[in-house]
Amino acid sequence: MQFRFSDSLKNIRPSEIRELLKYASAKDFISFGGGMPNPLTFPMNDIREIMDYVLTDYGALALQYGNTGGLNELRTEIKKLVLETEKIKTDEKNIIVTSGSQQGLYELAKVLVNPGDAIITEEPTYVGAISAFDANKAEMHSIQMDNEGMRTDLAEAEIKKLTSEGKKPKFIYTIPTFQNPTGITMSLERRKHLVEIANQYEIPLVEDNPYGELRYSGERLPMLSTLDKDSNVIYLGTFSKVMCPGLRMGYTIGPEEFVNKFNLLKQALDLSSSTFSQYVAWQYLKRGIIKQQIPKSIELYRKKRDAMLKALDEYFPETSTWSRPDGGMFLWATVDKKINTTELLKDAVQEGVAYVSGNAFSPARIQSNSMRLNFTFSEEDQIYRGIEKLGNLIGKKAGVVQSQ
Ligand SMILES: Cc1ncc(COP(=O)(O)O)c(C=O)c1O
């Protein structure tokens, strides 16, 4: 018998990152590929203690089915957290606890998009968002970025064009702070302009902020959610990078009308996110452990970012350029135009080093000479050795190609 699969998976690309994770465990292999937080940051002892407490004091509830929208006590803590960290004023009824923000991305697309509907994204953008939007058959219109983030002038022109063709985009997706994959932070001016565009054309903004707390330098900028007075913004948050990803805890914040639809869909999807994980996350926030955890992660990651920037200065050929992120987990390098980074990856893996090639993050598939480099996972000496290997390889390839 042959399965007759639905069309919904047709466009989804197999994850280059998942393939790479296979190599990450091989001895001596240096992977700049994954997007995993460093396990040294996991608050192991605190979580062990919290789990014990939850089972002892709340076992009957924590192991039971829960509300679709999420544990009320956790939503109250999330409300306090986003106010304290990002100055976002919200209410429990506007918050839904999700199984990671990845679920938020999938669900919001399901709630808003009909097959073929246009949406706006950054170019490049988060690979998991591309999968979630592809699975819902959204037509992605990706907007070029520069050092200040999404080129909002180009976004406006694209929205104007699409609207005049009767294809007004359903939403605008952005990762304004320490973007995945580029590490770039959108400037204040662009943030304001994007909110203005969203209001003018009445298009919801989706702001995804998994890395905002991981700042190593520079000043915090206001989130779109606080700049927008018309409540046009859907905000995605997660505990993956500031606690651990294994509990799969994230949250979506939005206008009540949107949240109600989202809840309806979530009932069909999983009834609710893990009640046990929610109790653990609740205690993690309530006890203030997150506030001790974040500075530790920042201290660890800042050194690694600095090490990678130094190694790039030293080892990458002069024809290359790269971003200098103020936070997050990634930087984005662009190499000689003649080098295809997807092809180069095979040679890099042979040399014992990996990255994710640019086109994995490109809705328009136009990032063929770029790569995303993760700096949070490897040891500092691995960062130097890995970047040296990559630099040599790029230099060699550029030379070979040029001499042909
Ligand atoms: C921009 C962005 N959004 C969403 C996610 C999904 O995170 P999670 O599902 O672990 O919350 C990630 C993970 O790397 C990400 O980088």
Side-chain angles (χ1 to χ4, degrees):
M1 185 197 75
Q2 270 213 322
F3 286 101
R4 287 163 298 138
F5 292 110
S6 78
D7 288 343
S8 55
L9 297 173
K10 237 181 193 165
N11 296 333
I12 300 188
R13 313 165 187 185
S15 164
E16 205 179 56
I17 300 176
R18 294 249 160 261
E19 286 298 302
L20 283 168
L21 289 180
K22 283 189 242 163
Y23 301 107
S25 57
K27 206 170 162 275
D28 292 337
F29 194 86
I30 302 169
S31 177
F32 303 132
M36 293 183 289
N38 195 308
L40 289 175
T41 66
F42 297 160
M44 220 76 91
N45 289 333
D46 291 315
I47 288 187
R48 187 179 296 118
E49 204 184 299
I50 289 174
M51 283 186 172
D52 199 34
Y53 168 78
V54 165
L55 281 177
T56 309
D57 282 35
Y58 294 92
L61 291 167
L63 299 179
Q64 190 54 277
Y65 288 113
N67 283 345
T68 303
L71 182 69
N72 288 334
E73 293 89 331
L74 174 59
R75 286 194 274 181
T76 302
E77 288 301 324
I78 292 171
K79 176 175 123 173
K80 289 193 225 160
L81 177 76
V82 294
L83 183 63
E84 200 174 314
T85 55
E86 301 291 6
K87 298 195 168 50
I88 296 172
K89 288 193 188 113
T90 187
D91 208 51
E92 283 86 348
K93 65 176 188 305
N94 297 99
I95 301 172
I96 305 174
V97 179
T98 56
S99 307
S101 50
Q102 185 64 36
Q103 187 181 52
L105 285 169
Y106 181 87
E107 283 207 33
L108 77 88
K110 190 94 191 153
V111 164
L112 294 171
V113 169
N114 288 319
D117 277 353
I119 62 165
I120 299 285
T121 72
E122 281 149 350
E123 172 64 57
T125 189
Y126 167 51
V127 63
I130 296 180
S131 300
F133 301 156
D134 265 341
N136 288 291
K137 299 189 164 222
E139 191 183 284
M140 277 172 266
H141 293 257
S142 53
I143 308 296
Q144 233 178 291
M145 297 175 68
D146 62 17
N147 281 338
E148 287 188 56
M150 186 196 287
R151 286 271 309 273
T152 47
D153 56 332
L154 299 181
E156 184 168 17
E158 186 69 12
I159 289 166
K160 238 185 221 165
K161 181 175 149 265
L162 287 165
T163 306
S164 74
E165 291 164 359
K167 290 181 72 175
K168 184 161 107 169
K170 281 289 180 75
F171 61 85
I172 303 166
Y173 172 68
T174 173
I175 309 153
T177 308
F178 319 138
Q179 200 236 19
N180 182 1
T182 61
I184 288 170
T185 292
M186 189 186 283
S187 68
L188 181 59
E189 207 176 303
R190 295 267 174 92
R191 285 173 195 236
K192 285 182 180 163
H193 189 209
L194 196 56
V195 168
E196 210 179 285
I197 295 169
N199 285 333
Q200 187 185 337
Y201 292 89
E202 300 189 314
I203 302 172
L205 280 167
V206 175
E207 87 173 323
D208 190 2
N209 188 29
Y211 305 104
E213 291 313 296
L214 299 175
R215 178 177 281 284
Y216 321 128
S217 51
E219 294 287 309
R220 187 187 282 274
L221 289 173
M223 299 308 296
L224 305 176
S225 302
T226 63
L227 292 171
D228 175 53
K229 304 293 172 233
D230 291 2
S231 306
N232 257 330
V233 184
I234 296 163
Y235 179 92
L236 299 176
T238 177
F239 296 118
S240 288
K241 322 291 174 176
V242 288
M243 177 166 63
C244 56
L247 289 173
R248 307 303 300 126
M249 283 283 94
Y251 49 95
T252 299
I253 302 176
E256 212 175 335
E257 184 194 3
F258 166 80
V259 163
N260 291 341
K261 294 280 189 209
F262 194 105
N263 255 325
L264 211 57
L265 175 67
K266 191 164 162 62
Q267 279 170 25
L269 201 66
D270 63 359
L271 301 179
S272 86
S273 294
S274 159
T275 324
F276 186 67
S277 288
Q278 292 189 66
Y279 269 87
V280 174
W282 165 49
Q283 281 297 310
Y284 180 79
L285 295 180
K286 190 158 188 277
R287 295 177 184 205
I289 298 165
I290 192 168
K291 288 182 196 148
Q292 303 155 18
Q293 175 74 17
I294 292 170
K296 284 187 207 158
S297 301
I298 289 177
E299 201 189 324
L300 181 75
Y301 292 162
R302 180 190 284 124
K303 286 190 197 129
K304 292 176 187 291
R305 176 206 59 175
D306 292 346
M308 189 169 275
L309 285 173
K310 194 158 169 254
L312 285 164
D313 278 337
E314 200 158 322
Y315 298 119
F316 262 37
E318 271 176 16
T319 45
S320 324
T321 55
W322 53 88
S323 57
R324 305 187 80 85
D326 277 330
M329 295 177 37
F330 310 105
L331 58 78
W332 183 254
T334 300
V335 299
D336 195 298
K337 253 202 204 93
K338 296 167 208 125
I339 295 177
N340 180 310
T341 50
T342 307
E343 289 297 313
L344 185 79
L345 185 59
K346 292 172 199 149
D347 294 332
V349 168
Q350 294 277 319
E351 298 274 329
V353 59
Y355 56 83
V356 185
S357 50
N359 268 344
F361 307 96
S362 175
R365 295 236 177 230
I366 55 171
Q367 306 289 348
S368 58
N369 62 326
S370 294
M371 62 176 74
R372 187 191 75 175
L373 297 166
N374 166 279
F375 55 78
T376 57
F377 197 75
S378 305
E379 300 295 330
E380 280 177 50
D381 70 304
Q382 291 179 314
I383 292 177
Y384 284 111
R385 278 189 288 123
I387 294 295
E388 183 179 11
K389 281 182 188 195
L390 274 181
N392 287 341
L393 200 58
I394 292 162
K396 217 161 66 187
K397 285 276 164 192
V400 168
V401 179
Q402 272 157 10
S403 65
Q404 275 175 348

